Amino acid sequence: GEFIGHFEKDDCVANPDTCHGYFVNAPCHWSTYAEAQMFWNNISLKSDGPEYPNSGYSYSQMLQILDASNTTGEDLMMWWFSPDMTYTLFPLHRVHLPIPSQACLQSRPPDKCAENENERLGNFLGSCDYAEHSLNKIISKGLQTS
């Protein structure tokens, strides 16, 4: 769907204990642990999208928000993946979280789409960065079918 919303600033003076910035998260069925990573690394950002249950955004909405941010010059924090051509279209910068270890990767929340927020957050042991993976795709003009 088309992104037709806008972000409203929190009143941090009146509500200092609940004040947070906004983060554009992907739908929970994508390979994102951003909700838990934000929480356990004490990064006071929350996503406020229409995707249930993690308040993420659809792929097309994420691209529209990124385009709007680039057009207006407004800062934006969002989850994204690599490799992807979007990195060539916009000035994106990677944010590094704690180095992933096997223990951390095995401690990720088991259900990123759980209705219960505490289940989606898991525990602090799973709050590290993403492990890098080798890209195992080959493109060749010379391959033929027999």
Side-chain angles (χ1 to χ4, degrees), residues 82-83 130-138:
S82 177
Y130 298 94
E132 295 196 14
H133 300 281
S134 297
L135 183 61
N136 296 320
K137 293 184 181 182
I138 299 174

Side-chain angles (χ1 to χ4, degrees), residues 1-145:
E2 185 175 321
F3 178 72
I4 56 172
H6 64 280
F7 299 110
E8 294 179 9
K9 293 184 179 183
D10 281 348
D11 185 350
C12 296
V13 173
N15 305 300
D17 295 332
T18 59
C19 179
H20 59 80
Y22 290 97
F23 172 77
V24 179
N25 200 5
C28 65
H29 62 273
W30 286 22
S31 57
T32 174
Y33 293 95
E35 184 177 20
Q37 290 166 319
M38 295 288 164
F39 181 81
W40 292 112
N41 286 295
N42 200 27
I43 301 170
S44 296
L45 300 174
K46 291 191 177 208
S47 190
D48 195 27
E51 295 284 327
Y52 183 80
N54 72 331
S55 301
Y57 293 86
S58 70
Y59 177 72
S60 63
Q61 289 171 327
M62 291 172 76
L63 288 175
Q64 291 171 29
I65 293 168
L66 185 55
D67 188 41
S69 170
N70 190 57
T71 300
T72 61
E74 291 291 325
D75 293 329
L76 173 68
M77 179 81 121
M78 71 187 311
W79 178 93
W80 205 256
F81 52 94
S82 177
D84 181 70
M85 288 296 296
T86 305
Y87 280 97
T88 65
L89 303 173
F90 301 101
L92 301 179
H93 303 279
R94 190 177 198 294
V95 173
H96 294 274
L97 296 171
I99 296 171
S101 65
Q102 194 61 34
C104 174
L105 298 175
Q106 291 174 338
S107 299
R108 296 281 200 212
D111 186 0
K112 300 175 301 180
C113 294
E115 288 189 34
N116 182 294
E117 182 182 33
N118 289 330
E119 289 179 42
R120 291 194 313 273
L121 295 177
N123 67 64
F124 73 94
L125 294 175
S127 65
C128 60
D129 209 339
Y130 298 94
E132 295 196 14
H133 300 281
S134 297
L135 183 61
N136 296 320
K137 293 184 181 182
I138 299 174
I139 299 173
S140 174
K141 194 165 97 162
L143 295 176
Q144 298 178 353
T145 59

